[in-house]
């Protein structure tokens, strides 16, 4: 077949579902309805720890169905890693807002008004992750010998850093509809669940185990999803289980869509962290030893804490080289709602600490923050904390120098410093500062994760091109569009001739979860291989000619680990990721000297991502992720009291609005990864790693010695001299 | 109640206190208007009531009696803002998009960057960081 199509990769083609989204035609979960639809409401614990003593429904039960753990035909767990979390509590309560039972009714008003009285025998909760006796996971990374490293140091710098909870705050709340019958073969048995989610096959597996059903009797279909950011990675397995139990008990479709308050109270958030650094350094600024200790607050159940910790620890030393590194981390249990996946997955926490610490090192040595990073930034040929030798596709120095140049950083820093002189301090001019951060982010699952996942993707020939079959979900980032671009070029057909199937477990293979910045680099590459083979099979025929002559053609391929990648999961040594993206952020802040409110006034970021398959989409990831990172740094404050979020409304939990978000200058650099499609690496998560340390470093420059986020006015006031 | 909905006369039999958002989504089957918070903070439910943007989650149905009401469906599919939002990355997950576009319609043609920022301050977007939305509106 002749290659007459204009190249799609690298061009800003129109996103596949763009028209549906701007016309209101796109169907999200709450837009769907089914004949005989019932609604469900989740009744949750109001205490953080204890036992359920008694459950009583108050009032008229007519028309209500109650669902509790007795209605579970399979195992009462939300299957994920540790299988410790019940789908519906039996006796023990470990956190506020733990689901106990479901009420089902056709009338939402009646459902809202219903009252259930639950008596408890409370026990003493623990909210301190450091003293918790239960660790979901501990990780140790050792490189060289830190004692030797400290012996070689001229100066030792200590620091303790803390990060808070953060709510994903997708604008579409979690929601599902469960419909009895599995649909694939039109049978009445089994269950079909539609929903807002990132990982249909996670939900599929969890439902099989909860309901005791074989794979073919469970069907999970992703509906258009209004944002995820990790918040729809594991939680949909829980809510899908609830709706499925209710649908099976009533024999009718059941809708379960959370309102904003419930979504904030009950669903997962970013793990808070406490991270201590002790670093040996020579007088001229070279790192000789890094000793890092981190605790992540996992909340009440394990969820994904083990893997969040893993990514966090692998990134804990930041993008810096050092021969002697010791990293110790643990994720522990506390009596708060479980924390879970959120864009960045542990790396924003640990790189916050690493890069704020780097500025403290520079300060101690009297070096400027750029110089200390130039000396220590990882170069090609260097090894990371896990001993991974970096290839030519690593770009720490490049992004740093580009950001410094674009912002005229050193000059700007001097100018702002002098604007904060004693003469100005008395007046009502704001204090101003500028700071930067250097960061990296591994693409794909950690270590042997991709080999274990063994993701599959399929491509089916159509009359005009091909149809992509993957479980990778479009959640706003542009999955459909970007995958279609990769396939179009590999197959040699126009982008418009590539269709993308719904992420429906009845129709698509398991291409793995839509997480970990893996969809483009990993799934995109599998599809590219499918398309290359399909192109070979077509030879000189057009798709239509081929179909007429030989009949249907579907090509399925599985992930193949690039040759030479080695990982030891017990020692935490080796090639943690196939490749890394690299970034450098520069932010300017203004602090009001009376109210201590902070405004980010300018933001520049340089991102090296291998190859931008679709520059507008890549830019969207970087700008959106950076805005979330600025929110994380300054605004987003989850207030917990007695194990309960007390500000669980959009009025009281503040995310950046158009007025809070500074103008953003984004610079994209491309240093291709040989095993990514057209050289692409991941881009989804990295943007959220950089803003928080850059903001805190800018605040330090403005005169406020803070080591914690969010940097709320109260905290800044406390450190103001 | 009677109103002009997306240019057509409509007569609706609904409880006067029902949220306009629910009237649109349930009684008129216009699901392009979204709910993000139900408390007037996110703007996902923005519609134009006599040309002015309102949060339909806070407006009782009775308020729309006799009014001209416009939802995203009323914009057709060829409005310059709709096209621009697709071309310039103004819509990512799309859940804020109908409200954003209607809020942008209310700004009139060629608004300044500052007018956009102020005009959209009540419409939250968690995906884009707003920059692509500004570009979409300015290049529409
Ligand atoms: S749903 Fe109306 S403002 Fe959020
Ligand atoms: S595009 Fe997702 S919230 Fe705006």
């Amino acid at each position: 077949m002749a290659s007459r199509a204009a190249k799609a990769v690298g061009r800003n083609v129109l996103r596949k579902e763009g028209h549906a989204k701007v016309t209101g035609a796109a169907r999200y979960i709450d837009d769907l309805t089914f004949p005989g639809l019932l609604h469900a409401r989740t009744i949750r614990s109001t205490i953080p720890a204890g036992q359920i003593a008694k459950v009583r429904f108050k009032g008229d039960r007519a028309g209500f169905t109650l669902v509790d753990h007795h209605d579970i035909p399979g195992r009462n767990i939300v299957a994920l890693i540790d299988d410790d979390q019940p789908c519906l509590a039996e006796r023990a309560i470990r956190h506020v807002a733990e689901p106990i039972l479901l009420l089902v009714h056709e009338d939402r008003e009646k459902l809202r008004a219903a009252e259930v009285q639950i008596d408890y025998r409370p026990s003493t909760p623990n909210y301190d992750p450091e003293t918790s006796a239960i660790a979901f996971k501990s990780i140790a990374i050792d490189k060289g010998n830190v004692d030797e490293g400290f012996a070689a140091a001229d100066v030792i710098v200590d620091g303790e850093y803390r990060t808070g909870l953060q709510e994903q705050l997708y604008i579409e709340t979690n929601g599902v509809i469960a419909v009895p019958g599995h649909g694939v073969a039109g049978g009445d048995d089994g269950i079909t669940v539609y929903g807002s989610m990132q990982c249909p096959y996670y939900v599929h597996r969890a439902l099989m185990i909860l309901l005791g059903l074989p794979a073919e009797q469970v069907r999970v279909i992703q509906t258009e999803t209004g944002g995820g950011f990790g918040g729809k990675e594991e939680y949909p397995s829980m809510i899908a289980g609830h709706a499925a139990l209710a649908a099976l008990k009533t024999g009718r479709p059941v809708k379960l869509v959370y309102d904003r308050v419930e979504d904030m109270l009950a669903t997962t958030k970013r793990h808070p962290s406490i991270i201590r650094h002790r670093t040996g350094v020579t007088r001229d600024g070279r790192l000789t030893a890094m000793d890092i200790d981190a605790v992540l607050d996992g909340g009440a159940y394990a969820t994904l804490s083990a893997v969040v910790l893993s990514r966090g620890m692998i990134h804990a030393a930041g993008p810096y080289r050092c021969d002697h590194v010791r990293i110790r981390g643990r994720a522990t249990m506390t009596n708060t709602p479980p924390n879970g996946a959120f864009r960045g997955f542990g790396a924003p926490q640990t790189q916050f600490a690493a890069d704020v610490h780097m500025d403290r090192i520079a300060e101690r040595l009297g070096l400027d923050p750029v110089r200390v990073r130039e000396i220590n930034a990882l170069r090609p040929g260097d090894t990371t904390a896990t001993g991974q030798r970096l290839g030519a596709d690593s770009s720490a120095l490049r992004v740093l120098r580009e950001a410094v140049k674009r912002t005229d950083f050193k000059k700007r820093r001097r100018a702002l410093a002098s604007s904060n002189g004693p003469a100005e301090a008395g007046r009502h001019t704001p204090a101003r500062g500028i700071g930067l951060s250097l960061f990296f982010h591994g693409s794909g699952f950690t270590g042997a994760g991709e080999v274990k996942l063994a993701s599959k993707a399929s491509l089916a020939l159509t009359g005009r091109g091909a149809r992509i079959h993957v479980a990778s979900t479009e959640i706003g980032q542009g999955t459909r569009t970007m995958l279609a671009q990769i396939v179009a070029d590999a197959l040699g057909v126009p982008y418009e001739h590539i269709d993308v199937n719904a992420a429906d477990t009845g129709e698509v293979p398991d291409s793995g979860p839509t997480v970990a910045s893996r969809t483009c680099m990993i799934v995109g590459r599998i599809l590219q291989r499918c398309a290359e083979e399909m192109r070979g099979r077509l030879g000189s025929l057009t798709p239509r000619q081929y179909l007429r002559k030989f009949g249907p053609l579907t090509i399925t391929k599985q992930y193949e680990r690039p040759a030479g990648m080695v990982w030891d999961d017990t020692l935490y040594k080796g090639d943690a990721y196939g490749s890394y993206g690299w970034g450098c952020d520069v932010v300017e802040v203004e602090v009001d000297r009376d109210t201590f409110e902070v405004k980010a006034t300018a933001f520049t970021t340089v991102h090296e991502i291998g190859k931008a398959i679709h520059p507008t989409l890549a830019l969207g990831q970087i700008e959106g992720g950076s805005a979330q990172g600025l929110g994380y740094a300054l605004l987003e404050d989850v207030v917990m009291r007695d194990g309960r979020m007390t500000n669980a409304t959009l009025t009281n939990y503040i995310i950046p609005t158009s007025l809070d978000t500074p103008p953003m200058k984004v610079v994209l650099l491309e240093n291709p990864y040989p095993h990514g499609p057209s050289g692409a690496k991941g881009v989804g998560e990295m943007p959220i790693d950089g803003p928080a340390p850059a903001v805190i470093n800018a605040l330090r420059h403005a005169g406020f010695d803070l080591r914690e986020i969010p940097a709320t006015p109260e905290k800044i006031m406390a450190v103001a001299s | 109640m009677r109103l002009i909905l997306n240019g057509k006369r409509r007569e609706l039999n609904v409880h006067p206190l029902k949220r306009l958002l629910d009237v649109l989504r349930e009684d008129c089957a216009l699901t392009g208007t979204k709910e993000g918070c139900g408390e007037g903070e996110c703007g996902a439910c923005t519609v134009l009531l006599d040309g002015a943007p309102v949060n339909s989650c806070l407006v009782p149905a009775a308020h729309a009696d006799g009014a001209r009401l416009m939802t995203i469906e009323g914009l057709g599919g060829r409005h310059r803002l709709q096209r621009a939002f697709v071309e310039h990355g103004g819509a990512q997950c799309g859940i804020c998009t109908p409200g954003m576009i209607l809020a942008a319609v209310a700004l009139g043609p060629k608004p300044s960057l500052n007018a956009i920022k102020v005009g959209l301050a009540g419409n939250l977007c968690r995906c884009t960081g707003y920059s692509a939305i500004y570009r979409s509106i300015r290049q529409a």
Side-chain angles (χ1 to χ4, degrees):
Chain A
M1 188 172 64
S3 169
R4 57 201 149 67
K7 282 257 177 272
V9 168
R11 266 200 310 135
N12 292 319
V13 297
L14 294 183
R15 73 183 298 148
K16 288 282 176 197
E17 75 294 352
H19 187 75
K21 282 176 173 170
V22 299
T23 53
R27 291 277 175 268
Y28 299 79
I29 190 66
D30 202 24
D31 303 337
L32 301 183
T33 187
F34 288 83
L37 185 76
L38 299 172
H39 296 276
R41 181 182 143 205
T42 316
I43 304 297
R44 300 174 179 280
S45 63
T46 51
I47 62 159
Q51 303 272 323
I52 300 169
K54 199 162 167 199
V55 178
R56 257 171 310 142
F57 186 90
K58 291 168 69 179
D60 182 6
R61 270 182 76 153
F64 281 98
T65 303
L66 269 61
V67 179
D68 70 9
H69 66 92
H70 295 105
D71 296 303
I72 296 173
R75 290 178 64 202
N76 183 14
I77 52 163
V78 182
L80 192 61
I81 297 174
D82 279 6
D83 295 347
D84 60 339
Q85 185 175 23
C87 186
L88 289 168
E90 297 184 11
R91 285 197 85 77
I93 293 295
R94 285 212 210 166
H95 66 88
V96 168
E98 184 155 5
I100 298 172
L101 64 119
L102 300 150
L103 301 181
V104 191
H105 199 280
E106 62 187 6
D107 185 310
R108 272 186 302 180
E109 290 311 314
K110 291 223 169 83
L111 206 50
R112 253 192 288 267
E115 273 183 72
V116 177
Q117 159 99 37
I118 301 177
D119 300 333
Y120 302 96
R121 274 187 290 277
S123 51
T124 313
N126 171 43
Y127 303 126
D128 181 357
E130 290 201 279
T131 58
S132 169
I134 302 170
F136 295 128
K137 174 91 178 170
S138 300
I139 287 175
I141 297 176
D142 288 285
K143 178 188 185 188
N145 178 335
V146 276
D147 296 332
E148 256 173 54
F150 281 119
D154 296 321
V155 180
I156 290 172
V157 185
D158 288 291
E160 181 183 310
Y161 307 93
R162 288 170 186 258
T163 64
L165 287 158
Q166 188 185 19
E167 163 60 35
Q168 292 89 354
L169 227 131
Y170 28 71
I171 302 295
E172 179 205 32
T173 54
N174 267 288
V176 296
I177 298 175
V179 184
H182 58 95
V184 187
D188 294 338
D189 299 334
I191 192 86
T192 302
V193 173
Y194 300 80
S196 180
M197 64 182 72
Q198 294 177 224
C199 313
Y201 272 99
Y202 277 7
V203 177
H204 186 262
R205 175 169 172 268
L207 288 175
M208 283 168 59
I209 293 169
L210 178 77
L211 305 175
L213 289 174
E216 63 280 6
Q217 290 202 13
V218 177
R219 183 174 183 180
V220 179
I221 304 172
Q222 184 225 4
T223 49
E224 201 67 63
T225 296
F229 317 115
K232 293 172 186 169
E233 176 170 352
E234 72 272 36
Y235 201 85
S237 298
M238 166 78 88
I239 184 172
H242 291 162
L245 290 170
L248 289 179
K249 185 158 184 181
T250 58
R252 285 166 67 175
V254 173
K255 183 185 259 195
L256 186 49
V257 176
Y258 290 168
D259 67 21
R260 180 58 62 189
V261 174
E262 182 172 21
D263 196 295
M264 293 180 93
L265 277 179
T267 71
T268 55
K269 300 190 174 26
R270 187 186 300 289
H271 291 70
S273 72
I274 305 158
I275 300 171
R276 295 189 182 88
H277 276 253
R278 184 175 178 81
T279 309
V281 61
T282 60
R283 207 153 278 127
D284 57 0
R286 206 167 34 81
L287 301 176
T288 61
M290 299 175 91
D291 193 358
I292 303 166
D293 181 78
V295 181
L296 298 187
D297 180 347
Y301 293 102
T303 69
L304 292 162
S305 285
V307 260
V308 171
L309 180 71
S310 167
R311 185 173 279 268
M313 294 309 100
I314 291 171
H315 289 80
Y320 301 109
R321 54 181 184 180
C322 181
D323 291 336
H324 305 289
V325 182
R326 174 166 64 198
I327 299 170
R328 295 289 178 271
R330 59 194 204 279
T332 60
M333 185 211 144
T334 61
N335 293 104
T336 61
N339 296 314
F342 192 156
R343 191 180 211 162
F345 219 69
Q349 292 94 315
T350 57
Q351 293 199 85
F352 167 76
D355 233 53
V356 171
H357 191 62
M358 196 52 74
D359 261 32
R360 306 311 160 115
I361 292 170
E363 194 178 316
R364 261 297 274 289
L365 298 174
L367 288 174
D368 84 80
V370 178
R371 186 73 201 121
V372 76
R373 287 177 176 80
E374 276 175 347
I375 293 169
N376 295 298
L378 284 164
R379 283 124 165 109
D382 284 343
T383 55
T384 65
T386 65
Q388 175 167 9
R389 194 163 295 284
L390 294 171
D393 57 339
S394 48
S395 314
L397 267 184
R398 227 180 116 190
V399 293
L400 174 65
R401 289 189 170 141
E402 189 70 28
V404 167
K405 190 176 88 194
R406 296 274 183 151
T407 55
D408 209 351
F409 184 81
K410 294 183 188 177
K411 209 167 131 203
R412 210 48 210 144
R413 198 165 158 94
R414 281 194 299 273
L416 290 179
S418 58
S419 81
N420 290 336
E424 280 75 15
R427 300 194 210 134
H428 288 279
T429 54
R432 299 164 78 195
I434 184 170
L436 63 70
S437 62
L438 186 63
F439 49 98
F440 68 152
H441 202 94
S443 311
F445 259 41
T446 300
E450 290 295 345
V451 174
K452 279 191 215 132
L453 273 180
S455 298
K456 288 194 186 73
S458 292
L459 201 57
L461 191 64
T462 62
R464 60 176 194 161
R467 172 175 276 263
I468 292 170
H469 288 249
V470 291
S472 308
T473 50
E474 167 69 58
I475 56 173
Q477 79 286 49
T479 295
R480 293 184 190 117
T481 306
M482 167 274 294
L483 292 179
Q485 287 176 280
I486 292 169
V487 167
D489 283 7
L491 194 56
V493 303
Y495 162 75
E496 292 73 21
H497 292 187
I498 305 298
D499 303 307
V500 186
N501 204 83
D504 171 348
T505 61
E507 296 178 351
V508 301
D510 185 359
S511 58
T514 303
V515 304
S517 309
R518 65 184 293 278
T519 304
C520 176
M521 187 178 105
I522 303 284
V523 184
R525 177 68 191 127
I526 305 173
L527 279 170
Q528 191 179 42
R529 287 167 43 224
C530 291
E532 282 160 0
E533 179 168 332
M534 186 173 272
R535 189 173 188 163
R537 298 261 202 111
L538 287 174
S540 59
L541 299 177
T542 65
R544 193 167 303 281
Q545 288 166 337
Y546 184 97
L547 287 173
R548 230 180 270 141
K549 206 162 166 188
F550 300 106
L553 173 65
T554 297
I555 302 208
T556 302
K557 293 214 175 278
Q558 191 170 327
Y559 170 77
E560 276 172 14
R561 170 150 59 172
M565 258 186 91
V566 185
W567 175 256
D568 183 328
D569 215 29
T570 354
L571 292 175
Y572 255 71
K573 271 199 189 325
D575 302 318
Y577 302 98
S579 187
Y580 297 83
W582 305 84
C584 184
D585 285 357
V586 176
V587 64
E588 289 188 26
V589 298
E590 273 181 19
V591 187
D592 185 304
R593 293 186 202 269
D594 297 320
T595 64
F596 297 102
E597 257 164 62
V598 185
K599 228 175 115 115
T601 53
F603 181 83
T604 300
T605 183
V606 179
H607 268 59
E608 192 281 289
I609 59 168
K611 167 78 187 170
I613 302 291
H614 188 297
T616 294
L617 290 180
L619 189 61
Q621 287 302 295
I622 295 168
E623 289 170 341
S626 298
Q628 284 178 359
L630 290 170
Y632 185 41
L634 289 169
L635 300 172
E636 300 186 32
D637 193 12
V638 174
V639 182
M640 297 294 288
R641 195 176 309 132
D642 301 328
R644 179 188 167 93
M645 181 176 181
T646 59
N647 58 334
T649 64
L650 260 180
T651 315
N652 296 321
Y653 181 81
I654 311 293
I655 64 166
T657 68
S658 55
L659 295 174
D660 304 307
T661 309
M664 294 190 184
K665 201 187 294 165
V666 179
V667 182
L668 276 181
L669 300 180
E670 298 181 332
N671 182 7
Y673 167 52
H675 304 287
S678 305
K681 310 170 181 175
V683 63
E685 296 177 287
M686 184 165 67
I688 206 166
D689 291 342
V695 163
I696 295 299
N697 290 340
L699 281 171
R700 178 74 194 103
H701 184 230
F704 302 93
D705 185 3
L706 205 66
R707 289 148 191 252
E708 188 176 348
I709 51 169
T712 54
E714 300 75 50
K715 288 192 196 122
I716 296 175
M717 184 154 67
V719 299
S721 42
Chain B
M1 63 187 260
R2 290 157 179 237
L3 74 170
I4 300 182
L5 177 56
N6 294 333
K8 292 201 189 77
R9 271 177 218 294
R10 290 285 298 256
E11 206 156 315
L12 292 170
N13 217 334
V14 297
H15 191 283
L17 289 182
K18 188 166 180 176
R19 304 189 303 173
L20 183 56
L21 173 64
D22 297 330
V23 172
L24 290 168
R25 292 178 53 84
E26 293 165 9
D27 301 280
C28 307
L30 295 174
T31 55
T33 307
K34 305 301 181 191
E35 173 163 359
C37 68
E39 49 170 318
E41 290 290 337
C42 75
C45 63
T46 302
V47 296
L48 299 182
L49 191 67
D50 288 327
V54 296
N55 290 327
S56 63
C57 71
L58 293 184
V59 175
H63 271 217
D65 194 14
R68 265 183 310 116
L69 196 65
M70 159 103 100
T71 70
I72 191 68
E73 290 88 349
L75 220 50
R78 298 222 184 84
H79 193 280
R80 56 189 172 78
L81 278 165
Q82 289 174 309
R83 199 181 159 76
F85 267 68
V86 179
E87 279 178 4
H88 302 290
Q92 283 192 26
C93 81
I95 198 80
C96 72
T97 308
M100 280 289 175
I101 291 180
L102 290 174
V105 167
L107 296 174
K110 299 278 162 225
S112 68
L113 182 57
N114 199 50
I116 298 173
K117 285 193 175 186
V118 174
L120 298 186
N123 289 75
L124 296 177
C125 177
R126 190 57 154 168
C127 296
T128 63
Y130 305 100
S131 300
I133 292 175
Y134 305 155
R135 285 194 289 276
S136 302
I137 297 172
R138 286 173 70 86
Q139 285 168 48

